[in-house]
Amino acid sequence: MRYISTRGKAPALDFEDVLLTGLATDGGLYVPETLPRYTPEELMALRGLPYDELACRVMFPFVEGSIPESDFRAMVQETYAGFTHRAVAPMVQLDANEWVMELFRGPTLAFKDFALQLLGRLLDYFLEKRNQHVVILGATSGDTGSAAIEGCRHSSHVDIFILHPHERVSEVQRRQMTTVHSDNVHNIAVTGNFDDCQKMVKASFGDQSFLGGKTSLVAVNSINWARIMAQIVYYIYASLALGGPHRSLAFSVPTGNFGDIFAGYLARNMGLPVQQLVVATNQNDILHRFISENQYQPGKLQHTLSPSMDITISSNFERLLFDLYGRDSSGVVDFLEAASQGAVQLEETRWRGARRLFDSYTVNDQRTCEVIGEVYGEAGYLLDPHTAIGVESARRCRRDVTVPMVTMGTAHPAKFPDAVSRSGVDVEAGLPEHLSDLMEREERFTVLNNDLAEIQDFMARNWKFAEN
Ligand SMILES: *Cc1c(COP(=O)(O)O)cnc(C)c1O
C-alpha cells in the first residue's frame, strides 16, 4: 500500500515510513492512494469472526509490503488480548434499534486504546528492524497522553515525553499517566495551559536540533495514519453484528479531531453499508457549523465537561476535505489558506456531497448532564459525557428509525466523575478492577516552567542514550 499527502507536494510513502513520519513534509496528512473494497459476499465471509481476527484481515492490506502477515497477526492478537471484555468492543442496547458500542474496554478506558495499543507495538517492531531509537513527544489535556503512555511503556526503542498543563487535568486522567513507572516514560507538568504545551510540542517538531541529531521525534496524535486504520475495524464489527452487509447502519460519533468518525467514513468507502454518520460535538462546534450551514471558521477554545473534544481546529478534517475536492490538493491548500484568514464556505455542490452522508449536532454541558440522567432513568445505563453527546446527537439527527443507530461509546464514565455527579444520577461509576487502586498508586512527574528551552533541555538530558 502506498500513501499520498493531502497537499500533493510530499513524496508517496509506504506504511512503515508513514508510521514514523506523522505530518507530511508539505504540511499535509497521509491517506491511502487507493482503498481496499469489499463486495457484500466478502463482507459476509467476515461475519462472526473474533475481533482480533477481523482486525487482522481488515488492516492487513494497509500494511502489506511493510510487514509479513504472521508478524502482524501476532501483534494484533497481543493488542486486543489486553482488553477486558471478551468481545473487545461489546454493544449495549438502549432502545429499539439504538445501541452504544463500548470502545472503552482497553487499559486506559478510552477508545484511543484501540489504536495506540497497536501503534506502540508497530513502532517497536520497525525500530527494532532498523536498529533505531525515537522520542515520542505529545501534549495532552486528558485521554491521549494516558493512552499513548500505556501503548509505549514496553517499547524498548522509544522514549515518551508527555506534557500536560500542571493542575489542569482531572485527577483520574493525571494518575493514569503519572503512575506508569517505566524508565522510558517521562511526564512533564508544565506551569501553563494546554495551548502552551501544544505550542512547545509544535516548536520542538519544527526544530529538533536540541536532540543533537542522535534521535528524532515521532508524533502519535490523531494525524498518525495508523490510528485511523485501527479504528476502521470496529465499524465493520458493529455492522456485521447487526445484520450487515444486508442491512444499513447509522453511527453517531463524539468528535474532536475528526479521527474516529473519519474511520467510519472510510469503512463506508470500503463497501460497508452506512446510511448516515452523525458528527456529535460539544460547544467547540466548528464541525457542526460546517456540516449544518457550510461555515468553516475556528472559534475560541471553550473548556467543557467533555475535555477530550475541546478543540478549535479539527486536524483530520483535512483528510475529508481532500476527498470533497475530488482529491485535488490545490483545492485543499486554497481552502485552508482562506480559512486561516476568516470564515470560508465550500462550493455548494461539494458541501451537498458531504451532506448526503453526514449530519451534525452540538450539545452544551447542561444538556450533556441532563442526557446522562435521562438515559440512566430510561435504561439504567450510565454514559460518560462524551458518549452522552453522541447519544443526544443520534436522537436529534436520526433519519430513519428502522435503521439501527450505533453511538460510539468513547470513554468509561468513571473517568469523568464530575459530569456524572452533576447529572444528579445517584450512582458512582467505579473504576474497573485493573485500576481500582489508581488513587493510591505513587505518582511520578516533573514540574517544569512554561519555557521551551527548559523543557527541551530536560528532554535532551533524559532520553535513553542521553549523555548526562
Ligand atoms: C479523543 C476522544 C474523542 C474525540 O475523538 P476524535 O478522533 O479526535 O474525533 C472523543 N471522546 C473521547 C473520550 C476521546 O478520548
Side-chain angles (χ1 to χ4, degrees), residues 45-55 57 237 240:
L46 299 172
R47 267 159 73 152
L49 291 177
Y51 192 91
D52 58 349
E53 181 58 28
L54 180 72
R57 297 209 199 166
Y237 192 62
L240 297 180

Side-chain angles (χ1 to χ4, degrees), residues 27-39:
L29 303 181
Y30 277 105
V31 290
E33 199 164 41
T34 55
L35 278 180
R37 268 199 72 94
Y38 293 106
T39 63

Side-chain angles (χ1 to χ4, degrees), residues 14-132:
D14 66 7
F15 178 78
E16 178 175 342
D17 285 324
V18 164
L19 176 76
L20 292 165
T21 302
L23 211 60
T25 50
D26 58 5
L29 303 181
Y30 277 105
V31 290
E33 199 164 41
T34 55
L35 278 180
R37 268 199 72 94
Y38 293 106
T39 63
E41 293 69 35
E42 287 165 335
L43 285 170
M44 279 291 284
L46 299 172
R47 267 159 73 152
L49 291 177
Y51 192 91
D52 58 349
E53 181 58 28
L54 180 72
C56 187
R57 297 209 199 166
V58 168
M59 288 190 278
F60 186 66
F62 293 105
V63 303
E64 200 166 2
S66 293
I67 176 167
E69 189 164 0
S70 55
D71 289 357
F72 186 62
R73 171 165 280 111
M75 223 181 288
V76 170
Q77 284 171 348
E78 206 181 284
T79 295
Y80 297 109
F83 281 55
T84 58
H85 194 291
R86 286 173 59 120
V88 180
M91 283 192 280
V92 169
Q93 191 160 11
L94 296 185
D95 202 340
N97 260 343
E98 189 191 29
W99 310 76
V100 168
M101 185 170 223
E102 295 187 338
L103 299 177
F104 49 75
R105 301 300 194 124
T108 73
L109 315 182
F111 87 95
K112 291 181 173 72
D113 288 329
F114 274 84
L116 285 164
Q117 282 292 309
L118 180 63
L119 194 131
R121 291 177 167 86
L122 283 165
L123 277 177
D124 223 33
Y125 177 89
F126 289 118
L127 293 168
E128 167 81 27
K129 206 177 68 173
R130 294 175 169 213
N131 192 21
Q132 231 177 299

Side-chain angles (χ1 to χ4, degrees), residues 110-112 143-144 222 231 254-261 308-309 384 386 410-411 416:
F111 87 95
K112 291 181 173 72
D143 289 341
T144 304
S222 70
Q231 292 161 186
T255 307
N257 271 319
F258 205 72
D260 195 357
I261 195 165
S308 302
M309 313 200 305
D384 99 288
H386 304 80
T410 51
F416 302 97

Side-chain angles (χ1 to χ4, degrees), residues 409-439:
T410 51
H412 191 290
K415 289 191 95 163
F416 302 97
D418 288 353
V420 172
S421 83
R422 275 181 57 177
S423 75
V425 173
D426 192 18
V427 58
E428 209 177 306
L431 286 163
E433 198 170 315
H434 71 281
L435 290 171
S436 57
D437 63 344
L438 184 69
M439 295 307 184

